[in-house]
Amino acid sequence: MEICKVFFHLSVSVILSPLQNYPLYIRSVPSQSELKFHYTVHTSLDVVEEKISTAGKAMAEQRELYLGLLYPTEDYKVYGYVTNSKVKFVIVVDSSNTSLRDNEIRSMFRKLHNSFTDVMCNPFYNPGDPIQSRAMFTMVSGLKSDKCGWLV
Amino acid sequence: MLIGHLRDPNNQVVVVKGLRISVTGVNTRSPNSGEVRKLLSQAVSGCQPPEGLPANVITAGDYDLNISDRSVKASVPWYSDWKEMLTQLSSSKYYTATTPWFEAYRENFLQSMPASDHEFLNHYLACMLVVSSREAVPTEQFLKLSQEQHRIQHSGEYTYPKWFIPNTLKYYVLLHDISDGDEQRADSVYEDMKQRYGTQGCYLLKINSRTGAAGPDEQMPDPWSQYLQKTNIHSPYEEGVLNNVENNISSEVDGLDLSDVVSEIHPLKLEQSADPGFPGNPSKAVNSADTARTQKQGSVTPGAAPTAHGACLTLNDHDRIRQFIQEFTFRGLLPHIEKNIRQLNDQLVSRKGLSRSLFSATKKWFGGGKVPEKSIAELKNTAGLLYPPEAPELQIRKMADLCFLVQHYELAYSCYHTAKKDFLSDQAMLYAAGSLEMAAVSAFLQSGAPRPYPAHYMETAIQTYRDVCKNMVLAERCALLSAEVLKSQAKYSDAATLLIKMTSEDSDLRSALLLEQAAHCFINMRSPMVRKFAFHMILSGHRYSKAGQKRHALRCYCQAMQVYKGKGWTLAEDHINFTIGRQSFTLRQPENAVAAFRHILINDSKQTATQQSAFLREYLYVYKSLSQPSNEGSLPQLPLPCVHSAQTRVFFGHEPRLAEGEKQAATHVWLDQEFDQEQAQLWAELEEQVVAVANRGSVHISFQPTQYCLSSHTENLRYPFAVVEEPMFVEVVFRNPLKVPLVLSDLSLLWKFTTKDFSKPQGGTTGETITNEKEAAAGKATALNDIISTEVIPEFTVGLEETKVARLKLLPHKTGELHVLGIVYNLGTREEDNSASEASQLMFVRGRQDLEIQGPRLNVTKEEKTSVRHGPDRRLDPIITPPMPLLEVFFINFPTGLLCGEIRKAWVEFVNVSAVPLAGLRVASTHPEFFTFGSATADLTPVTPTAAEHCSAYKTMVTPPSDAAVTLVSPAAFGITGDNRPTVVEIPLTGGVLGPGEALQIPLWLRGPDREGVHEISFLFYYEGLEKNAKLGHRVLRHKAVICASRSLSVRATACRSNTLPGRGKRDEREEERSGSMLVFVDVENINTSEAGVREFHIVQVSSSSRQWRLHKCINPAGDKDSKLASRERGKLCFRATRCRTQEATSDALEKYTFADLNLGNEQIVSSTTPCADFFFRRGPPSEPRKGGVITVGGLLRRQSLTPANSTDDSMTSIVRKCSEVELDIIVLWKAYVVEDNKQLILEGQLHVALQTIGKEACSLSQKEEAQEMVLLKFKPDLPPPASRPSLEQLSHLIKTCLHYPESYDHPFPQKSLCMVPVTLTLSNCSLAQVDVIIDLRHKTTSPESLEVHGSFTWLGQTQYKLQLRPQEVHGLSLKACFFQAGVYNLGTPRVFAKLAQSGTMCETSQQSAMPALIIINSV
């Protein structure tokens, strides 16, 4: 599943289901170019898969969840994060935004992961369904506002 | 394919293989950029993926992709030639990711490259001078041509064509037309030429040996065809000067050249264009001397008839042409090249003598202006730096190119390398980039690959071309080459990056092609990057569509779709589908367009409403244009709205009528009712009961309950039956997934019908099958209404995201087999604005949707369990049977609320609405105690329903209250047989038949249920036709009544054994008392809660009904005859009951019930008639719960009394029980005064209490049931009922004792101190067995109180008696009591012990302690 992608100003965060790689949660901040983000995120999955497979089976145990920068496009930077259960998180940010450090992205992913875990713990959530959690929404919105600096 | 040899400067032999010679007219030139663009676009669009060929399937992860990349390298001619011929890499197992249109593009692109000054690869090496043998003086012409060529090359007037070397090779060719010209003359001219130019420099080519009259049957291969189909990219010069003698036709035949001026060789430009003009046809001889020439193929105008090319050539001619080219190559061209390489090499070697530094220093001094400063601004200038054509710096490049052309790649590489260094040091960037590019290529092409491929050369070259030189064409060429090289090395990722980098805004076509190639690279990677492939395909598709390549765009989107489909990326999916739809539509593939639009619409779209409505409109538009031509054929399937086939319900019968005034129609079944499994089960059980009764107790094995409403819950394995001339309704569930309302108009059902006449034996004759599909398609759904009337719903709106049902009606007029196929309708949408209302009217399409219902999954056999199989569902395939009667039932004055036990008279009307007589009317009910139609004895003269108001439902007689009036009634008269309550009641019809259209009204008495609350009472009316219908034996009509019962009275009754003495009163009474009498106490309490409604209750009468007992007399002490009970009041009534007379107790009378009425008022209600007795017989066993396993004492008793006991214990028990058993039913009849709407009403009712055991209180309300609801769940089996031993309490009822003594006794104590009073103790055996009795007269000594009270008298004589009493024997025992003083004494001290005689154990039981028997001893 790929579970979540959130796009912030020119950024998206997406959660994707682990096996079929369909989106569980997509949130993009400028909604007008949503389609483009969808394409970008979907394409980034190839890189995610490549990174997972090249990370090697030996390293599978203590693999770092954070995959780092997947690839830069002209306008965006795409970051990836894969949980042990192969839930993929993708964050796309505006590449003009230089204030975002790797650490910040990493903590954003961690927050996203925690929030996702909360959603999964909800007994009323049917695994595989699109996430419609309000907590997730506010969390993602919070991610955004924390970083007012890099948001326009 | 030519294989030649030449020697390099070091005298090494170089093998030249597969040399191709490209021949062009001297007056052709490179087209301008606009033309190139057009040509490229034509080339790409002309090359489409072949249809029908098996596509290349790539499996990548979860994806199976069909891509049109036919990527096996052997299938690609260009590539295979290159690699096999030039690099010997034929063993390569790599695939190229390429597509035919890309190759076409690439070839055309490379060919259209203009010759530039910085490289020589497409400069001309040699010049053929061709003169026809018919020229008057050919040698002169040769001279002229030679001069002309020299002028073109050296005069500087022409920038094109560009020449490789100053002294271009001239090859003189004399062209001779065999069929026409003078051969000897040609030969002589040729001899002349040989002397003049040497044998190596000239050639006589004889062709056209065939006469023009070649038969069409002769199939000659067209040698030019493969070249002619190529588009011509060279256009002839306009300047006439050049065309003096030369034929302007250029062509190339598999390396063969004809009649041309210039040849150039370029291994990377293997394709050469051919003029449409025929090579053997010197069509444009401008020279005047040429006019006399016969134009054999004059009729063959260039391009007009391409198939006619080469028609005059025989196979010999072909060989000659081939020979000519070989001659030219080996004798002329290769030696020429070899010579030039040597010359250039010598020049270079001589120049190398000077040190490089010196050389550059000299340059600095003498031509300093050329050396640029290292500044960026300067760099730009140097990009434009041009060497003069014969500049020494270019010589090495020239040599490199020559070596490259003859495939001496090693030398070429070293030369390019050197040249690169020189150019770089000069900052001549364009030249340097060219050298870098070619160095990389020659390094790649070197066989054996002594050095690694310098990929960075290519990168630098591309960068330089693009950024410094701003020459996109060259950059593109370089990128294409580089990509091919990278692909052949399986460096797909690099290739993709390179290709993507090359995309730019200036050319959509190029970008599209490169993106597509990049996508193919991604999919060809070792771990295929499917998503990147898809994404780049979409990008490519976008660019294609911008470039006007619609077909390619569509193909790209379709291929990308494979990746996105069904993966949850709805936005992307919708986008792709929408684009596919649009492109397909513009490409006139409306089917595909419709399919694509369909996808957008049927999936749960996340698009906005406006977007959806746009989609919908576009879809409708496309659909309309699609369906118009095929108006005659079958209707198209529509995707919207979604039809939930499985939820389709079918109802057979008429729509229910609403209540008409007082008349209330039977509820029956209708589509509004939800399916309820429990209810369905209940109805099925009822129907089974009634069918069993109708068939005299047996139910056919194949009995199936009638189903009027078929849904997914019912079993639909069998074909349902519908009756002709009766409608059927099909309820279809529509769901609109869109945020736009949908409007369906002219909605009707599609059906197929086979007429069959079932009245004939053997299943009848089968008629032809008719269907209304065509009529429905034409919008005339009602056309076949004489067979089956089809209802059309004119407009049906399904709101946004709404689920809605439509009920569609069919009315069959003939018998046969009907199949409902689907629905047909016009699909449209409603415009928001009213102004466009007319347009919206037009915007709809007619189509259908099939109703296909999958049956339930089969799961019986192993095979079915292991596979997924579904059974049939025949819901929609009814069999239309011949006419059947149809009953309608109306209830008149049917109440909704009743008091518990209230009797109400209502009327019921049966109407036969069919044209067939109806018979065998019966009704079954879940609550048979609730209603009665009256007994057979009842007076059925129908009084009109209105007359019944305020009249008592009971039959009454005016009688003063007195002793009980007794009637003997057989239960059979009330339709009761056996112990079971009848659940099925036959309804008497006059003559047993209800004719067509007839109606029958009969009275119906209702009695409020005993328990308060809301009761659902189900009636099932059963009826059949007069003549047996093979298909449909009977029909049923259902009715469900809801009755709200409110509390009325609570009656409790107790029976006590009477201890009165026999011997008093009349003889017959004594007789009665001897046989037994009882006291019956009846407690009546008003427990009605609605104080406002019911004012008071009056107990009007108490009746009894029993087979053995009857109420005899009211012994109420109070004189209150009309006992009134206000709210919460309680009254007590006391009655004496006696056994029925023995003479009546004949065997016949045993089954009869004695009804005894004791009226408290002036009116006697004849309880033995309808309805009182009906309800009595229909009462349920009061204490027996309807469900559950608890058997109460009453039930047990009754059962045990009926079955003879086997074991002694059991028999003992039964004997003991029997003597305390009563079996007396008390009927309390009451009237209630109710105020309703300021009107006083009198309601009547009756309550039943069943007395079963002496001393045990019975109640009209079955409290046990209430208690039972609270019973805990038991997980262990119940203890066996402790019935093996009679309880003490029961045993105590064995013997009835009675003391007979004078109430007061006068005795003169002063005279006689002892007073002896005779007392008779009467013992009566109540049981039917012998009983041993012990009478103990001793006083109990235990109780001090008894001592005190009883101590003052003693019994005289024997203190213990042992007796044995026969069954029912009465025995008198004379005792004497002795008193010492006057006073009041209690004589009831004798203790009586009894035991059954058979009983082995001497279990003595104290009989009931007699009540105090007081005697007064008076002293006189």
Side-chain angles (χ1 to χ4, degrees), chain B residues 72-83:
Chain B
V72 188
K73 66 178 179 59
S75 69
V76 183
W78 184 86
Y79 195 62
S80 65
D81 281 356
W82 184 15
K83 290 189 78 181

Side-chain angles (χ1 to χ4, degrees), chain B residues 1148-1170:
Chain B
D1148 179 43
L1150 258 182
E1151 280 305 306
K1152 288 199 174 180
Y1153 281 77
T1154 307
F1155 280 83
D1157 300 338
L1158 277 170
N1159 54 322
L1160 304 177
N1162 286 330
E1163 266 188 341
Q1164 186 211 341
I1165 295 167
V1166 186
S1167 61
S1168 57
T1169 55
T1170 300

Side-chain angles (χ1 to χ4, degrees), chain A residues 5 21-22 39 46 49, chain B residues 529 531-532 567 569 575:
Chain A
K5 314 189 180 188
N21 285 325
Y22 58 84
Y39 279 129
D46 275 334
E49 271 185 8
Chain B
M529 292 191 151
R531 299 174 193 89
K532 283 198 164 186
K567 293 281 192 276
W569 298 87
H575 169 241

Side-chain angles (χ1 to χ4, degrees), chain B residues 1334-1338 1355-1361 1375 1391:
Chain B
I1334 297 169
I1335 299 130
D1336 194 356
L1337 295 178
R1338 284 175 299 177
W1355 294 102
L1356 296 182
Q1358 210 176 338
T1359 56
Q1360 193 179 44
Y1361 298 88
L1375 303 171
R1391 286 175 292 159

Side-chain angles (χ1 to χ4, degrees), chain B residues 466-515:
Chain B
R466 197 177 49 193
D467 301 340
V468 183
C469 310
K470 305 278 182 236
N471 191 334
M472 277 311 282
V473 179
L474 288 174
E476 187 185 351
R477 183 188 70 184
C478 191
L480 290 179
L481 290 175
S482 176
E484 284 310 318
V485 170
L486 288 170
K487 276 196 271 184
S488 77
Q489 291 173 335
K491 289 175 181 162
Y492 289 111
S493 172
D494 296 342
T497 323
L498 177 72
L499 289 167
I500 293 168
K501 260 192 214 161
M502 278 312 293
T503 60
S504 61
E505 288 303 314
D506 60 337
S507 167
D508 286 320
L509 181 64
R510 184 182 66 219
S511 301
L513 282 160
L514 295 186
L515 282 168

Side-chain angles (χ1 to χ4, degrees), chain B residues 1318-1377:
Chain B
V1319 175
T1320 318
L1321 176 66
T1322 316
L1323 297 164
S1324 126
N1325 183 1
C1326 296
S1327 73
L1328 294 169
Q1330 282 204 338
V1331 177
D1332 290 331
V1333 185
I1334 297 169
I1335 299 130
D1336 194 356
L1337 295 178
R1338 284 175 299 177
H1339 292 297
K1340 278 185 222 157
T1341 50
T1342 46
S1343 151
E1345 182 220 14
S1346 64
L1347 267 179
E1348 203 179 305
V1349 178
H1350 312 293
S1352 51
F1353 88 98
T1354 52
W1355 294 102
L1356 296 182
Q1358 210 176 338
T1359 56
Q1360 193 179 44
Y1361 298 88
K1362 280 192 179 174
L1363 296 171
Q1364 192 169 54
L1365 292 180
R1366 278 171 285 124
Q1368 302 246 319
E1369 188 192 346
V1370 180
H1371 186 267
L1373 191 66
S1374 297
L1375 303 171
K1376 268 189 182 166

